[in-house]
Amino acid sequence: MRGKDRQLRSINSLFDTYKKRLKAPQKVVVEAFCEVVEDLFGVTVPAERVQYKPASKTLSVAISGVLKSELKMREQEVLTHLRGRLGEKSAPTTIL
């Protein structure tokens, strides 16, 4: 039935339920982290150097001392970008 009662909905709104319930897989979180670091610092971090533990929402990064220090100083900024990309439920809370 077509009529005035039906309204067009954005395709994104159809997936809102899934966004709220599902969590991003480990690989997606690691890839998003690598992208954010490249965007913010201009440095490529290999995904093999990053580990994510979903239970504790912790990212472990095995990189050089200088970059790791810079990353630790700007940790909240990186985490904010990850929350924007992954959503509140899937984003990590700590970077080691």
Side-chain angles (χ1 to χ4, degrees), residues 30 45-51:
V30 170
V45 176
E48 300 83 40
R49 299 272 190 168
V50 182
Q51 293 181 350

Side-chain angles (χ1 to χ4, degrees), residues 59-78:
L59 275 168
S60 300
V61 187
I63 52 177
S64 70
V66 175
L67 181 58
K68 193 161 191 167
S69 296
E70 183 69 24
L71 184 64
K72 223 27 194 166
M73 286 182 1
R74 295 175 62 185
E75 179 178 7
Q76 289 307 314
E77 182 181 358
V78 173

Side-chain angles (χ1 to χ4, degrees), residues 2-73:
R2 293 187 181 188
K4 295 181 182 180
D5 295 338
R6 294 182 58 132
Q7 295 180 358
L8 291 177
R9 291 178 27 165
S10 169
I11 192 101
N12 288 337
S13 68
L14 298 175
F15 297 106
D16 285 343
T17 301
Y18 297 110
K19 286 180 186 177
K20 292 175 185 172
R21 291 184 186 171
L22 300 177
K23 291 183 182 179
Q26 288 176 324
K27 185 176 180 179
V28 172
V29 174
V30 170
E31 289 174 354
F33 172 77
C34 292
E35 290 172 6
V36 167
V37 169
E38 188 166 357
D39 291 348
L40 294 177
F41 302 107
V43 178
T44 303
V45 176
E48 300 83 40
R49 299 272 190 168
V50 182
Q51 293 181 350
Y52 177 62
K53 296 178 183 171
S56 62
K57 290 189 169 189
T58 303
L59 275 168
S60 300
V61 187
I63 52 177
S64 70
V66 175
L67 181 58
K68 193 161 191 167
S69 296
E70 183 69 24
L71 184 64
K72 223 27 194 166
M73 286 182 1

